[in-house]
Amino acid sequence: MRVAKWHALGNHFLVVETPPWPITPARARLLCDVALGLGADGVLELSLDGDEVAVVVHNRDGSIAEISGNGTRIAAAYAAERLGTGDLRVRTGAGTGTATVLEDGRISVRLGQASLAGPQEDLAAPDPGVAYRFVSVGNPHCVLTVDDPGSFALAEEGPRLEVHPRFPERTNVEAVVPVDPHRVRMRVWERGVGETQACGSGACAAAVAAIADGTCSSPVTVEMPGGNVEVGVDDALALTLTGTAQRVYTADLDAELLAQLERAG
């Protein structure tokens, strides 16, 4: 079984194309385990068909995410190399979008529309006790405007809010501060993963929240510990995410690890 490791601004994934058996929660956890497996924030299970790549995002804890902005860029970069084209369709659990490899090597992905309300937020549940902006980009986000993301207690508030009853499918949590009318700074706690160096869908949510709050206008550069992305948001909240994706290595898994994965079921 061949596995490629990629990262997008430090958000690192294992890319598996048509694996020999289903990627179950137990297999995803083993693959992502830093000591027993390869170590990653998640597994991207890909299927290529013509100029379309279908992506299933398996989080580190074995759960499945509807979409990953960074994972989508990685999937597009991987598929562009395999298929020899810079223009692709990308199908995720949140719908089908398009991706383009730009001349500077960055990947630009149209991710569909964001919303500021929906079933991923239960307003009848208890208040979480902090001011936040809910944003869905297919997956749920709880965006907190803070004075300084670097000193914000994300290690405490992230896991608390992730599982709060207000968010019935759990949520991603972003600590964000606007820097200027086209720039915000962010740290992120990813649902099913923990704090990561960057989050593409979280960057989109942060940009949408800043625009909805009137502190920014499109396009918005989102600064994260792992690097920056650019988010375009139109009047209908349709999203375009542009940033880098880089391959780290490609490897054939050892027979013993393959046997452990098969046994994990």
Side-chain angles (χ1 to χ4, degrees), residues 84-257:
T85 179
D87 294 292
L88 302 128
R89 290 177 298 155
V90 183
R91 181 158 45 89
T92 71
T96 300
T98 59
T100 301
V101 181
L102 304 179
E103 289 186 2
D104 62 6
R106 293 183 302 158
I107 315 295
S108 184
V109 182
R110 290 191 62 84
L111 293 175
Q113 284 182 279
S115 61
L116 300 174
Q120 294 168 325
E121 180 190 28
D122 180 5
L123 294 176
D127 189 281
V130 291
Y132 71 93
R133 169 76 74 173
F134 173 79
V135 182
S136 173
V137 297
N139 59 350
H141 296 264
C142 171
V143 183
L144 311 174
T145 300
V146 302
D147 292 332
D148 176 21
S151 61
F152 180 74
L154 189 62
E156 289 77 38
E157 285 294 273
R160 181 183 77 84
L161 292 169
E162 177 187 352
V163 299
H164 193 277
R166 181 62 65 96
F167 310 107
E169 299 175 18
R170 299 190 296 160
T171 190
N172 303 278
V173 181
E174 288 80 27
V176 180
V177 62
V179 177
D180 64 42
H182 292 284
R183 186 176 298 267
V184 300
R185 188 172 302 123
M186 180 184 95
R187 284 171 63 207
V188 60
W189 179 273
E190 288 201 55
R191 177 184 61 169
V193 182
E195 183 171 4
T196 58
Q197 292 296 298
C199 175
S201 63
C204 290
V208 169
I211 290 169
D213 291 342
T215 56
C216 287
S217 24
S218 181
V220 179
T221 295
V222 181
E223 300 176 347
M224 297 170 284
N228 301 349
V229 294
E230 182 179 281
V231 181
V233 185
D234 72 10
D235 291 342
L237 301 186
L239 301 165
T240 302
L241 173 67
T242 303
T244 59
Q246 181 180 336
R247 185 177 55 251
V248 180
Y249 62 75
T250 302
D252 292 312
L253 296 188
D254 185 84
E256 179 54 35
L257 179 55

Side-chain angles (χ1 to χ4, degrees), residues 32-55:
C32 293
D33 190 289
V34 69
L36 304 178
L38 300 176
D41 292 328
V43 178
L44 303 178
E45 183 181 358
L46 306 189
S47 176
L48 307 184
D49 181 16
D51 65 348
E52 180 175 286
V53 54
V55 190

